Each structure stands twice: as C-alpha cells, then as structure tokens.
Amino acid sequence: MTTTCTHLDQIDVTELPDRILGCEECLKAGGHWVHLRVCLSCGKIGCCDSSPNRHATKHAGEADHPIVRSLEPGEDWCWCYEDQARLRRRLWLSD
C-alpha cells in the first residue's frame, strides 16, 4: 500500500450528496451492505468490500473510476484502487 495516487485529476466530486439512502445497486436488488463508499469521479454510492456484493469495487473496475471515499461517520479517507493507495481526503475535498 502506498500513499501516492496518480489519479487525483479524475476527482470530479468534491462534496457529499445531501441525502444518502444506501448502496444504489443493493437498494435496487433488495441486498444489504456493511459500509458505504462514494465514487469521486461520478458520485455513485456503492457498498464496501466487506459487503456481500462489493458494488463500489465493481463500479470502479467497470467504469474505470479509481478513487472512492468512505461515507462512514468519523472516517476521512479515500482509496485509489489502481494505485492501491489510501489517501487523506482533507487534501482536496470539502465537508
């Protein structure tokens, strides 16, 4: 794991949505999630890798959107799937 990400130029989402209902794909399919992540390229809300369907990781691979942010209360980190890098969101995101 590194702390260097070469994909910061792909961040288009800099603020959280006003309302977060849950993992978009799990809600459609009647599934459940453990934790939520938001794609910082498009804003899609997906479930974490501890969740049965791992929708955030699937979206990152399918859409080629490498960076997600944790939506868990008190967590302030992001993850770049391509660089396997954990990042501090305070470097570029608003609360």
Side-chain angles (χ1 to χ4, degrees), residues 5 7 37-39 46-49 54-61 64-69 77-87:
C5 172
H7 302 92
R37 310 290 182 242
V38 60
C39 173
C47 55
C48 70
D49 286 356
R54 302 177 64 197
H55 286 122
T57 297
K58 287 179 184 175
H59 171 73
D64 197 28
H65 292 171
I67 303 174
V68 294
R69 177 196 163 188
W77 58 267
C78 299
W79 178 257
C80 177
Y81 289 103
E82 288 190 34
D83 291 323
Q84 295 291 289
R86 187 171 173 154
L87 311 163

Side-chain angles (χ1 to χ4, degrees), residues 21-29 33 36 43-47 55:
L21 298 177
C23 172
E24 296 173 16
E25 298 303 318
C26 287
L27 288 168
K28 289 178 192 173
W33 56 88
L36 297 173
K44 184 172 183 78
I45 307 295
C47 55
H55 286 122

